[in-house]
Amino acid sequence: MDLKTFKLLHPVKYYKDYLDSNIRPDGRELEELRPLAISFGVIKSADGSAIVKIGNTTVVCGIKAELAAPKALEPQQGFLVPNVEFSPVCSPSYRPGPPSDEAQVYSRSLADAISNAHCIDLRDLCISPGKLVWALYCDLVCLDHDGCVFDAAIIALVAALHTVKLPTIQYNTDTEETETDSVKYSPLSVHCVPVTTSFVMITDRLIADPTTEEEKLASTTLTVTVSDGKMSFVNQSGGDPFDSATLKRCTESAIKRERSVKRMIQSMMNK
């Protein structure tokens, strides 16, 4: 039996043979992360954009800023609305049509992660309290799905937010007319860089930054979001809870990635 057939018929045994030697089929160590790349300003028609690659996983984010009326109960807050889409080209698992349940869960989780980290102060998006605010519509499209799409999505969103510049708006409360200064633009205030790192358990072995194949074989999945060196959001699905020692290892790894991503974004913005 050739190796390809063996992998197809016995995927768990195939991976276990590698994991027992503390290595993965792609050559990485168990807790080694894949290379990360970020490009800014990739969509000229957007008010902010970025594309992120983690290994083969690729997510692009475009942000459009629109004027809107605030919520009655939050008159001084604008809106940040992430929307995740899995393009049919990213994986054979996805088809054209309305957003999948998975995409909707990712969109909600992104909003929660950004909110919990206090990345954006929605009050900064207020133009006239109770009358006019900015709404930032953040469209994220997965172009290539090879695991850890959420990790790539949150980095793409935060990187894109760093490129947003909003024009100065003058609002007349009497006539409710607006006047836009097309010359004077202000960068959006981004207060931190939340970064997510995913981990899975396969045959009781901890795996960091899993590929699609590894995610499918996992008994437990854990995502850790770190902001300013502290855990700001965590989510676990399936299996038994991680013990404190394993959770600490995951958090330390996530902190290292957050520092690396923060340096990459700061370096690009200083150019």
Side-chain angles (χ1 to χ4, degrees):
M1 185 185 299
D2 61 74
L3 191 61
K4 185 176 181 180
T5 303
F6 179 78
K7 177 183 177 182
L8 184 63
L9 296 176
H10 307 284
V12 176
K13 179 67 167 60
Y14 172 83
Y15 262 87
K16 188 176 186 303
D17 290 343
Y18 276 95
L19 301 183
D20 287 343
S21 300
N22 293 317
I23 197 169
R24 294 146 81 172
D26 61 8
R28 285 186 291 157
E29 295 182 0
L30 304 191
E31 298 181 35
E32 182 180 347
L33 306 180
R34 290 173 292 180
L36 169 69
I38 308 174
S39 296
F40 295 79
V42 295
I43 305 175
K44 300 306 179 184
S45 59
D47 295 307
S49 63
I51 189 169
V52 167
K53 285 180 65 69
I54 297 179
N56 292 325
T57 295
T58 307
V59 176
V60 62
C61 177
I63 300 176
K64 290 295 289 183
E66 297 183 4
L67 297 175
K71 294 179 181 179
L73 297 179
E74 298 171 338
Q76 298 186 38
Q77 294 188 17
F79 303 93
L80 178 68
V81 187
N83 180 60
V84 177
E85 177 184 340
F86 289 94
S87 166
V89 303
C90 78
S91 167
S93 302
Y94 301 102
R95 296 286 183 270
S100 63
D101 291 342
E102 182 182 8
Q104 295 181 55
V105 169
Y106 273 44
S107 299
R108 183 67 260 168
S109 296
L110 267 178
D112 290 341
I114 293 295
S115 175
N116 291 345
H118 304 292
C119 177
I120 299 294
D121 188 343
L122 297 180
R123 292 173 297 183
D124 293 340
L125 301 176
C126 181
I127 298 171
S128 178
K131 298 293 184 179
L132 196 66
V133 298
W134 285 109
L136 301 181
Y137 295 100
C138 312
D139 291 319
L140 298 106
V141 181
C142 178
L143 302 177
D144 196 344
H145 190 326
D146 191 24
C148 294
V149 170
F150 187 79
D151 300 10
I154 193 168
I155 296 173
L157 175 54
V158 173
L161 287 170
H162 276 82
T163 68
V164 172
K165 292 184 178 180
L166 301 174
T168 300
I169 302 292
Q170 299 295 333
Y171 179 74
N172 189 316
T173 55
D174 295 326
T175 64
E176 297 187 348
E177 294 181 346
T178 60
E179 183 178 337
T180 303
D181 188 335
S182 59
V183 177
K184 187 177 180 181
Y185 282 76
S186 301
L188 180 67
S189 296
V190 183
H191 301 288
C192 62
V193 180
V195 176
T196 295
T197 305
S198 295
F199 305 85
V200 298
M201 280 287 190
I202 301 178
T203 64
D204 296 325
R205 305 297 294 273
L206 180 67
I207 307 294
D209 187 15
T211 62
T212 297
E213 287 184 344
E214 292 167 342
E215 287 181 340
K216 290 178 180 178
L217 295 173
S219 59
T220 310
T221 300
L222 177 75
T223 58
V224 179
T225 303
V226 171
S227 176
D228 289 332
K230 298 179 180 179
M231 183 190 298
S232 60
F233 187 73
V234 62
N235 183 56
Q236 180 182 331
S237 60
D240 298 321
F242 282 31
D243 59 46
S244 57
T246 302
L247 186 59
K248 181 180 179 181
R249 282 163 55 196
C250 294
T251 304
E252 290 173 348
S253 177
I255 290 174
K256 290 179 181 179
R257 172 177 265 184
E258 183 242 1
R259 291 172 181 165
S260 175
V261 172
K262 186 184 292 187
R263 286 195 298 267
M264 292 176 68
I265 291 178
Q266 290 174 344
S267 174
M268 291 297 296
M269 296 308 297
N270 290 334
K271 288 185 177 181

